[in-house]
Amino acid sequence: MSVCATHYRSSRNHVGFHWKKPSFRHLISCCQLGVSAFVGELSSGVIAIVFNFLILEIAGNVGVAAYGVVANLSIVAFAIFNGLAQGAQPLISESYGKGQPTQVKKLLKWSLLVCLAVEALIQLIIWTATDSLIGIFNSENNVQLLNYAHTGLRLYFLGFIVAGINVVLVAYFSAVDEPKIAIVGSFLRGIVAIVIYAVIFAKLFGLNGIWLSLLAAEMVTFLTILFLAYKDRRKRMAVV
């Protein structure tokens, strides 16, 4: 920090420093746009704990091992979507700050199109190379593990038909200064909806219900984001 601050201590610096009274409201305002990213990082731990407990009760240790296969592959998929969203977010934010709504819409459109292409590619890989992917983690050729993971991988990854779009939309609303929509979307898809659906579906449909909980949570999140965006747009139009 001292090395980085040398510029500000030099005579070339024209930025003055002044003592300011701490403002909790200002701090909260500054942190709002980063809450969605924080929830995204937190969600993986929450989901892993909930899923492990539910699957352990239904399918035992082999079921948990199968979830380990699904979870590791899903991390790769989510990393791709997060990379896409984080790459688009600063570009959208810059265009929004410059007052270029047309460019903002173009960037959002391009991001969603790329997202849809990646989602289609992921589905193709999962459905055509299911057992090959599982074999990377199943060195002992456990048949029961293969069966659990085969069904789980295909059902769980159905959620990625919508998951990538939600990741991009959350990043978009953070970039255009709509933190409430981004926060609601992050909490729904990352903690609230996925946990609720996992618990309910586990009781109703057993292990397959747990795999399908991601799809249900992402669909609810997508519809909620669209509703909030539509409601916010109507509110803005009424003010104008």
Side-chain angles (χ1 to χ4, degrees):
M1 290 180 65
S2 298
V3 173
C4 293
T6 53
H7 169 74
Y8 296 100
R9 295 198 304 266
S10 68
S11 58
R12 294 175 294 175
N13 176 43
H14 300 289
V15 178
F17 288 90
H18 304 280
W19 289 103
K20 291 289 184 180
K21 184 179 179 181
S23 172
F24 185 73
R25 178 180 298 179
H26 183 64
L27 178 63
I28 294 298
S29 176
C30 292
C31 292
Q32 279 183 336
L33 297 177
V35 170
S36 58
F38 168 74
V39 174
E41 296 296 330
L42 181 66
S43 65
S44 58
V46 174
I47 294 172
I49 293 172
V50 173
F51 273 44
N52 279 331
F53 275 114
L54 293 173
I55 293 173
L56 184 63
E57 183 178 349
I58 296 173
N61 291 329
V62 179
V64 173
Y67 171 64
V69 175
V70 176
N72 278 293
L73 292 173
S74 68
I75 289 174
V76 177
F78 273 122
I80 295 172
F81 292 123
N82 285 328
L84 173 62
Q86 290 174 11
Q89 187 173 5
L91 299 176
I92 294 173
S93 182
E94 181 184 17
S95 297
Y96 176 78
K98 290 180 178 179
Q100 300 173 339
T102 303
Q103 184 66 14
V104 170
K105 291 179 181 179
K106 283 184 179 180
L107 289 169
L108 175 61
K109 180 181 177 180
W110 294 339
S111 300
L112 292 176
L113 288 175
V114 173
C115 183
L116 288 172
V118 173
E119 287 175 341
L121 179 61
I122 288 176
Q123 294 300 320
L124 179 64
I125 294 173
I126 291 298
W127 285 83
T128 56
T130 309
D131 292 345
S132 298
L133 292 171
I134 297 170
I136 298 173
F137 304 92
N138 188 21
S139 59
E140 297 180 358
N141 296 318
N142 187 309
V143 178
Q144 190 176 22
L145 172 61
L146 175 63
N147 292 333
Y148 281 150
H150 181 93
T151 303
L153 199 59
R154 292 188 169 187
L155 293 181
Y156 190 80
F157 267 76
L158 287 176
F160 283 90
I161 297 174
V162 192
I165 295 174
N166 287 337
V167 171
V168 171
L169 289 177
V170 166
Y172 165 76
F173 285 110
S174 294
V176 297
D177 198 23
E178 291 288 350
K180 291 182 180 179
I181 299 177
I183 292 172
V184 170
S186 294
F187 268 103
L188 266 181
R189 64 177 299 273
I191 298 177
V192 179
I194 185 68
V195 171
I196 291 175
Y197 278 112
V199 172
I200 294 175
F201 282 14
K203 297 293 183 182
L204 295 177
F205 310 113
L207 187 59
N208 288 343
I210 298 176
W211 302 134
L212 288 170
S213 61
L214 178 67
L215 175 61
E218 296 292 352
M219 284 297 300
V220 168
T221 301
F222 178 68
L223 295 175
T224 302
I225 290 175
L226 290 184
F227 171 75
L228 293 176
Y230 173 75
K231 186 177 179 181
D232 181 72
R233 184 180 179 184
R234 290 197 62 180
K235 184 178 178 181
R236 288 173 181 262
M237 292 177 65
V239 171
V240 175

